[in-house]
Amino acid sequence: MGVLAILVALAIPIALVAGVVAVVRRAGGGSGEAAGSTRRFVTYLLALGVLIVGAVGLAMVVNLLIPDRGTEIIRTGSADVAAAVALTVVGVPAFLLLWRWLAKRLTTDRTERRSPGWALFLTVTIAIFLVGALSGLGSGLAWAVGVDEFGKGGLGYGIVWAGVWAWAWLELRGPRRPERMEDAPVMVGSTVSLAVLAGGAFLFLQSLFDAGYAGATGGEVVAAGLGDDLVRGFIWLALGGAAWWLHWLTVGRLRPASGLRNVYLLVVGTLGGTLVALSAAGGALFVTLTWLLGDPDSSAAAHFSDIPGMVAAFLVGFAVWRYHRTVVTADPEVFETETGRAYRYLLAGVGLIAAASGLGVTVNALLAALVAPVAARGDVDTLLGGITALAIGLPVWWATWTPMQQRRAGDPSEIRSGARRVYLAALAGLGGIVAVVTLSFIVFQLIEGILDGQSFSALIDSTRVPLGLLVATIVVAGYHWAVWRHDRAVVPAADRPVELRRLVLVTSDEGDLAARLRTLTGATVTVWHRSDQDGPQPSAEAVAEALAGITTERALVITAGEGPVQVIPLED
């Protein structure tokens, strides 16, 4: 019955895909841009589905062939064998037949290589199978060395899925490589690899620091599972490091500037490392404050037992931030793009939210002290938590926000930045909504308490949480509302120059012309490749110079070899 259910489950999506293909062919005759796009979507979706099915089947077969370790006995029933064979004989031939047809089209038809569907297929394939390969190999190797009792099942998946990932990686680098969105698979792979690398480094360092802390405080140096965690951390560190080296250091690091590359550098690497480091620092500060100013009910060794893990997390986050920050500062133009501005406002928003949360929690704790002269331990810890959030978030917000405020005086483009407008609108507008809702709840609580005859202390105690939220929201929303009004006054609507935001570039350039234009203009660039010309194309600087007089937010740019650049302003 299990095998029959698997085959039925496979037949349903295949039948749906076949139906869609039939409808597309009947409607468009297999021609036209819409029909071609639909055909690609269906084809690549089907290819991904049968590829996963075949890979799962092969992984199950490999697991059946792997001998047990030592005296370990794992019973394999006929259902397991049948499922492995069924998935393999259905998925593998189906994918090979489909890939034979796809490979021929990708080799002979350049339109296929330029389609987003091919790049998206490789991106999703690399993401899925890289995650499966790293997790399977990690648990399988841990089982092989004896630190994971149940990791054998992952070894077969790791081996097979690593093979599929290697095939997709070779396609990405081979003659059939995609000609659009070529950065997507590399950056997605770099992100996955970095996450595994950072996780392995954290587990490895935490195990080392825990052992050192246990030895320093008189505990057992080798606690239960500590050595196993050390080995697991090393395995994840090695696997993630090898994958990150291949995806980022050998390919992604050498790619020209692009939107996806900037997102990886700024959001994943720089901002991600910052958040991890700040969170660890905040946790360590809170533990320290509760020991110095609170009322801990345990010994110093037990109270600070989480510090080794926090130190490990801080070091990993700092290393990730420092490396990616160094790469970004090596190319200062990255900060001048809209992605760079979005990163700075996002970092300022993170710091502000942390500080505002700390302010609200602090107000909550102070109100609790007002109604209870003898503060409970929970109220003291709440106050220290608010102070910690303020101490961590406020410097981050101030260090990020102040330079942007100073810059807007001499750079009107900062005020017109879409990232700035979204940042101010979100904090002022959403903050105002939250304030109104919170105030309504407070009024409801007060009226209900008065009608029930509650005392003043009881009324304060029942509303101190929303009161803290209200104070923090009013401060944040009010300040950013004032900043928004000041921006409008500095650049009046009638005199506000229009910023070029979107470009449609018609060119036969196969290099980094679009990426350079994104950097020089800050606009989003959509490329339409023309097939009637070939040869040298104008430089990005020449195209940017031709765009100097544009007074609309959108423009069409047509390059014709070494001839003049044609610029056509477009209405909104």
Side-chain angles (χ1 to χ4, degrees):
M1 290 298 293
V3 176
L4 180 61
I6 293 174
L7 294 177
V8 172
L10 290 174
I12 292 175
I14 292 175
L16 291 175
V17 169
V20 173
V21 172
V23 171
V24 170
R25 287 183 174 178
R26 183 173 300 176
S31 61
E33 183 178 352
S37 300
T38 306
R39 187 262 304 163
R40 294 187 189 98
F41 171 77
V42 171
T43 303
Y44 288 121
L45 183 62
L46 178 59
L48 181 62
V50 295
L51 178 60
I52 293 175
V53 169
V56 170
L58 281 177
M60 295 174 69
V61 171
V62 172
N63 280 330
L64 293 175
L65 298 176
I66 297 176
D68 295 335
R69 173 173 47 82
T71 59
E72 180 183 11
I73 298 177
I74 298 179
R75 298 183 181 274
T76 301
S78 58
D80 298 325
V81 177
V85 174
L87 293 176
T88 303
V89 299
V90 171
V92 173
F95 175 76
L96 291 178
L97 289 173
L98 186 57
W99 173 245
R100 180 181 178 184
W101 178 74
L102 280 173
K104 183 177 180 181
R105 293 188 66 94
L106 288 166
T107 303
T108 58
D109 188 357
R110 191 178 184 186
T111 305
E112 289 291 325
R113 298 195 300 275
R114 285 179 171 176
S115 69
W118 173 227
L120 186 60
F121 170 79
L122 287 180
T123 302
V124 176
T125 301
I126 286 177
I128 292 176
F129 286 92
L130 180 61
V131 171
L134 293 177
S135 60
L137 289 175
S139 60
L141 290 175
W143 167 82
V145 298
V147 298
D148 189 341
E149 184 179 356
F150 304 102
K152 176 186 174 182
L155 188 56
Y157 282 91
I159 294 172
V160 174
W161 288 44
V164 177
W165 164 84
W167 165 79
W169 182 254
L170 292 176
E171 287 294 331
L172 180 65
R173 307 291 295 160
R176 290 187 289 263
R177 60 183 178 273
E179 298 183 11
R180 294 181 62 184
M181 297 174 57
E182 61 272 18
D183 281 346
V186 177
M187 299 309 157
V188 168
S190 300
T191 300
V192 172
S193 305
L194 180 64
V196 175
L197 170 63
F202 165 73
L203 185 58
F204 183 79
L205 291 177
Q206 183 187 33
S207 302
L208 285 180
F209 294 161
D210 280 340
Y213 184 81
T217 56
E220 294 185 9
V221 176
V222 182
L226 189 60
D228 293 349
D229 288 340
L230 188 65
V231 175
R232 290 192 191 97
F234 179 78
I235 291 174
W236 291 113
L237 177 62
L239 290 173
W244 184 72
W245 171 82
L246 184 62
H247 285 87
W248 173 250
L249 292 180
T250 63
V251 180
R253 177 71 174 84
L254 306 178
R255 295 287 303 169
S258 66
L260 288 174
R261 187 176 184 271
N262 292 344
V263 167
Y264 167 78
L265 282 173
L266 296 172
V267 178
V268 177
T270 310
L271 183 61
T274 301
L275 293 180
V276 171
L278 289 179
S279 299
L285 178 60
F286 175 74
V287 170
T288 304
L289 289 178
T290 53
W291 175 260
L292 296 176
L293 304 176
D295 186 20
D297 56 0
S298 59
S299 64
H303 184 81
F304 290 98
S305 60
D306 292 332
I307 288 294
M310 295 175 184
V311 173
F314 176 81
L315 292 177
V316 172
F318 180 82
V320 171
W321 166 82
R322 182 61 182 172
Y323 169 79
H324 291 88
R325 177 77 178 186
T326 302
V327 176
V328 171
T329 52
D331 184 8
E333 290 184 346
V334 173
F335 277 126
E336 304 306 318
T337 64
E338 192 64 19
T339 305
R341 288 195 178 102
Y343 154 74
R344 292 196 294 269
Y345 283 105
L346 188 59
L347 182 58
V350 169
L352 183 63
I353 291 174
S357 302
L359 177 61
V361 171
T362 301
V363 171
N364 173 18
L366 292 176
L367 290 174
L370 178 66
V371 299
V374 180
R377 179 191 171 189
D379 296 332
V380 174
D381 290 347
T382 300
L383 177 61
L384 296 178
I387 294 174
T388 300
L390 274 171
I392 295 297
L394 195 59
V396 174
W397 173 76
W398 181 262
T400 310
W401 175 251
T402 302
M404 293 187 294
Q405 282 293 89
Q406 296 173 348
R407 181 177 178 178
R408 70 172 183 169
D411 186 6
S413 65
E414 185 71 29
I415 297 179
R416 299 193 304 270
S417 166
R420 183 181 180 89
R421 291 197 296 265
V422 170
Y423 174 82
L424 292 176
L427 292 176
L430 296 179
I433 295 174
V434 172
V436 171
V437 173
T438 305
L439 182 60
S440 301
F441 180 76
I442 293 173
V443 172
F444 165 77
Q445 288 286 95
L446 290 176
I447 294 176
E448 184 183 36
I450 292 173
L451 293 178
D452 291 341
Q454 294 181 1
S455 64
F456 175 76
S457 298
L459 290 175
I460 295 297
D461 188 63
S462 64
T463 58
R464 59 189 176 92
V465 174
L467 276 172
L469 176 61
L470 179 64
V471 171
T473 304
I474 289 177
V475 171
V476 171
Y479 171 77
H480 289 89
W481 173 260
V483 172
W484 180 81
R485 299 227 355 140
H486 184 268
D487 284 357
R488 301 284 294 182
V490 170
V491 184
D495 301 330
R496 188 177 298 122
V498 178
E499 181 183 9
L500 184 64
R501 299 179 61 187
R502 294 186 181 275
L503 285 178
V504 177
L505 177 63
V506 182
T507 181
S508 59
D509 177 75
E510 300 295 337
D512 59 349
L513 176 60
R516 289 288 300 155
L517 280 177
R518 293 187 189 101
T519 301
L520 292 175
T521 64
T524 301
V525 181
T526 301
V527 180
W528 291 355
H529 289 278
R530 57 190 301 172
S531 58
D532 61 336
Q533 289 187 358
D534 201 355
Q537 296 293 308
S539 64
E541 289 73 15
V543 177
E545 183 179 353
L547 290 166
I550 291 298
T551 58
T552 59
E553 291 187 355
R554 295 168 176 81
L556 173 67
V557 178
I558 303 176
T559 65
E562 296 181 339
V565 178
Q566 185 178 1
V567 178
I568 303 175
L570 302 176
E571 292 184 357
D572 293 344

